[in-house]
Amino acid sequence: MRSIGEIVAAHVSGASSPGRTIAETYAAIRDHADPALFISLKTEETALAEAAALEAAGSAGKRLYGVPVAVKDNIDVEGLPTTAACPAFTYMPTASATAVQRLVDAGAIVIGKTNLDQFATGLVGVRSPYGVPRNAVRADLVPGGSSSGSASIVSAGIVPIALGTDTAGSGRVPAGLQNIVGLKPTLGLVPTRGVVPACRTLDCVSVFAATVDDAWQALEVMAGFDVDDPFSRQMALPTLQKLPSGFTIGLPRVQDREFAGDSLAEAAFDLAIERLHGMGIATREIDLSPFLATARLLYEGPWVAERYLAVKDLLERDTAAIHPVTREIIAGKPLPSSADAFAARYRLAELARAAQLAMQGIDAIMTPTAPTAYTVEQVLADPIRLNSVLGTYTNFVNLLDLSGLAVPVTMRSDGIPSGVTFLARAGADAMLASLGRDFHAASGLMLGASQIKVPTPAPLAAAASDEIQLAVVGAHMSGMALNGEMTSLGARLVRAAQTSNEYRLYALPGGPPQRPGLLRVAPDTGAAIDIEIWALPPASFARFVAAIPSPLGIGTLHLSDGGSVKGFLVEAEAVREAEDITGFGGWRAYVGREIADKETLASAAG
């Protein structure tokens, strides 16, 4: 089981080559002898030809030079069919998904498409006509789903990284059940163009890896805005940095903890808490009830209609082609009405606000990845209820727009892996990775199903203690027109955030560039506005502030999580002739509307 760094270093130095690594990968697949692992596998000759072409082109600029990668079969790969584990749904894509293409452009070699719970509906890994991939750690256990094959191939040490998807926990539960890392990025950070939808508004591409560092390298390659993906978000990916002093993690209250009667799972979570304290990290209990109530909305609310939309044509054409359990979940009861959908959105907004309040004063949350583990036999006997139990701590995450990272904790006395998931606000992916890599290393575990011990990660640089944090709301945000002014001053992105609901946003007259104005108003008369928080050295902060033109200035912004930060504000007099754009929720959404309107006008004129 070699890391990305070891593979690339061997290729560049000549100690190995992409061709030799591909040959070793196919030998490992034959040795593993699991016919349910792949739905489609490239021929070894094809993969070796790709490796030869890569060698001829050279390694320059290719961070994943010759690294073998597997991809879940609901993500398009050019040259391989996409089935979503349903033969009747099969099609041949004309291009790879954006995420896959970025891996390939970085030098990765896709070897095949892995098995999954049909249409990515399930957390168990047994709902596929292509068989049940073997859990590489303990063969009688379910592999976890829906990204079953991707987790199994990484745990078995065949490839260092594999792509999954995550809507309700499909990128985390399999990791927890197979002693590996599952990175679930912020929604929209990695484009989902070329992914068969489950719930399109909640789907994300996830990464399975043996270590956090390998998962992070894959994320760095895949992350970035895709103008052709309407769910892609323009947000920069911060670098990994040492956790600051005073870092605090929220734990579910004892009464909120659910282990389905599994005392060994409960003991493993207690061990995880002890490990945090041993790392010098503070903990405090939080009310998890709004999170758990949100989880129930996913399958009891209108979001199941999104799953229906993804397979509507096939359902109408050939109902029997869909796995019976999948069919029961997607079409087993009447679809919710429009009124039901709005009622659920209102309820979600209430729960999201309660969740934000519960997270005040903490940096992240730690939960079990799953309450317990089940065997294949148990799940086949009770498929829907036990699947629901496995989603206890995962179903709410994407509904609440949280980032997540699943990491192993221990190998229980019964040979079952146990893991935890760290959760934080959208945009906090780097912070979670910085935390997870140290937590995983402290476990002393073996990697996946191997006998190779978790390596000690390289130490991270500490953030400058005298940095000053500044919230930006408009053209200085990542990817926007004036962001270069921030980066040229040595600023670094800390995280994405939102203001409290006591602000209104305006498009100020003048320009270019067009500028926003954020005005503080009475509580509950404004809205939460999207912002980014950047950190600058004091001298850079002073230069930046000195150049701010009237009517803008720097004041204290109140955040939705209860914190505060220095940030841009506008004088009240300046917004009298300005357009109120509060309803867009942020400058990016407003600018995106402006661009779309101009393109529509240009098209009509042409």
Side-chain angles (χ1 to χ4, degrees):
M1 181 175 282
R2 294 188 296 166
S3 70
I4 289 175
E6 290 170 335
I7 291 171
V8 173
H11 293 171
V12 172
S13 69
S16 184
S17 67
R20 188 181 308 171
T21 294
I22 290 300
E24 291 168 351
T25 300
Y26 277 79
I29 292 170
R30 290 189 289 271
D31 290 343
H32 188 61
D34 181 0
L37 190 60
F38 288 96
I39 291 178
S40 60
L41 179 66
K42 280 182 184 174
T43 66
E44 186 170 357
E45 291 73 19
T46 298
L48 287 171
E50 291 180 11
L54 189 66
E55 291 173 27
S59 63
K62 293 182 171 57
R63 295 183 59 186
L64 302 179
Y65 180 59
V67 173
V69 174
V71 176
K72 183 177 180 179
D73 195 21
N74 63 338
I75 305 174
D76 288 345
V77 174
E78 185 178 6
L80 293 175
T82 299
T83 73
C86 180
F89 181 79
T90 304
Y91 65 89
M92 184 64 73
T94 57
S96 292
T98 303
V100 173
Q101 190 58 53
R102 289 175 178 175
L103 294 178
V104 171
D105 291 344
I109 299 174
V110 177
I111 60 169
K113 306 288 291 297
T114 55
N115 205 348
L116 67 149
D117 281 319
Q118 191 176 84
F119 294 114
T121 300
L123 295 172
V124 286
V126 305
R127 301 171 181 172
S128 171
Y130 298 96
V132 179
R134 187 168 68 246
N135 185 312
V137 176
R138 215 181 94 164
D140 63 325
L141 296 179
V142 294
S146 60
S147 310
S148 52
S150 288
S152 292
I153 194 171
V154 169
S155 183
I158 296 171
V159 295
I161 53 173
L163 297 190
T165 58
D166 190 303
T167 303
S170 296
R172 291 162 279 154
V173 169
L177 295 176
Q178 300 212 49
N179 194 41
I180 58 174
V181 169
L183 191 159
K184 188 221 80 70
T186 295
L187 290 174
L189 179 61
V190 176
T192 53
R193 184 162 60 98
V195 176
V196 177
C199 294
R200 196 175 180 197
T201 59
L202 303 177
D203 296 338
C204 66
V205 175
S206 64
V207 185
F208 294 101
T211 66
V212 175
D213 281 351
D214 275 1
W216 185 254
Q217 284 198 61
L219 180 64
E220 285 185 318
V221 169
M222 294 189 297
F225 183 67
D226 179 356
V227 69
D228 294 318
D229 176 5
F231 294 93
S232 181
R233 291 158 85 169
Q234 286 187 333
M235 54 191 338
L237 190 63
T239 57
L240 303 185
Q241 290 193 320
K242 186 177 179 181
L243 298 179
S245 59
F247 194 86
T248 303
I249 288 182
L251 305 172
R253 299 175 304 178
V254 173
Q255 60 265 41
D256 291 331
R257 299 177 193 175
E258 173 58 55
F259 298 99
D262 189 338
S263 59
L264 290 179
E266 186 172 6
F269 190 65
D270 290 338
L271 176 63
I273 297 172
E274 292 175 12
R275 185 171 302 155
L276 289 178
H277 294 161
M279 294 168 61
I281 294 175
T283 61
R284 68 176 176 84
E285 291 190 358
I286 66 168
D287 180 4
L288 205 66
S289 59
F291 300 85
L292 300 177
T294 300
R296 291 191 288 274
L297 284 177
L298 188 63
Y299 287 101
E300 296 174 7
W303 284 272
V304 72
E306 286 199 275
R307 294 186 185 272
Y308 173 82
L309 283 174
V311 298
K312 177 177 179 290
D313 292 344
L314 182 59
L315 269 170
E316 294 175 350
R317 183 177 75 249
D318 187 4
T319 303
I322 298 177
H323 190 283
V325 177
T326 306
R327 187 171 63 242
E328 171 65 21
I329 293 167
I330 294 175
K333 55 185 178 181
L335 290 173
S337 67
S338 298
D340 294 332
F342 279 109
R345 293 295 302 181
Y346 301 156
R347 178 59 175 154
L348 177 59
E350 294 169 356
L351 292 170
R353 179 57 52 84
Q356 289 172 353
L357 293 174
M359 293 178 71
Q360 286 186 5
I362 63 170
D363 298 287
I365 297 172
M366 184 178 78
T367 71
T369 296
T372 186
Y374 296 116
T375 64
V376 172
E377 182 180 10
Q378 287 174 313
V379 169
L380 291 176
D382 191 0
I384 293 179
R385 185 181 68 85
L386 298 191
N387 185 94
S388 180
V389 172
L390 290 180
T392 300
Y393 298 107
T394 62
N395 286 350
F396 59 80
V397 174
N398 287 1
L399 280 168
L400 294 176
D401 195 14
L402 302 177
S403 51
L405 180 71
V407 293
V409 171
T410 189
M411 194 67 68
R412 297 167 18 165
S413 59
D414 57 2
I416 294 177
S418 189
V420 294
T421 296
F422 295 110
L423 302 168
R425 303 166 186 88
D429 308 81
M431 179 266 285
L432 291 182
S434 300
L435 165 65
R437 66 199 299 270
D438 290 338
F439 181 90
H440 190 197
S443 71
L445 284 167
M446 303 300 165
L447 296 173
S450 78
Q451 294 303 306
I452 301 172
K453 189 174 180 180
V454 177
T456 300
L460 297 174
S465 59
D466 59 350
E467 284 182 326
I468 299 173
Q469 292 195 349
L470 175 71
V472 296
V473 71
H476 287 96
M477 297 171 77
S478 55
M480 304 296 280
L482 299 181
N483 184 247
E485 293 183 6
M486 301 291 291
T487 56
S488 66
L489 290 169
R492 64 178 183 86
L493 178 62
V494 177
R495 64 184 174 97
Q498 285 189 320
T499 68
S500 64
N501 64 354
E502 52 191 328
Y503 294 90
R504 299 199 72 82
L505 187 64
Y506 296 85
L508 301 178
Q514 195 174 19
R515 296 178 300 164
L518 187 69
L519 181 68
R520 186 175 177 185
V521 294
D524 297 321
T525 63
I529 302 298
D530 291 337
I531 60 173
E532 286 182 352
I533 300 175
W534 289 71
L536 298 90
S540 296
F541 179 82
R543 291 201 304 274
F544 185 76
V545 171
I548 295 174
S550 176
L552 300 176
I554 298 295
T556 299
L557 273 61
H558 296 167
L559 304 181
S560 61
D561 61 11
S564 61
V565 66
K566 297 298 181 185
F568 280 94
L569 288 172
V570 68
E571 299 170 7
E573 183 67 25
V575 303
R576 293 185 184 275
E577 304 298 325
E579 179 186 1
D580 188 331
I581 59 171
T582 306
F584 287 92
W587 187 246
R588 286 191 198 281
Y590 170 72
V591 171
R593 193 284 306 266
E594 289 280 287
I595 293 172
D597 286 351
K598 290 177 181 177
E599 289 176 348
T600 300
L601 288 172
S603 176

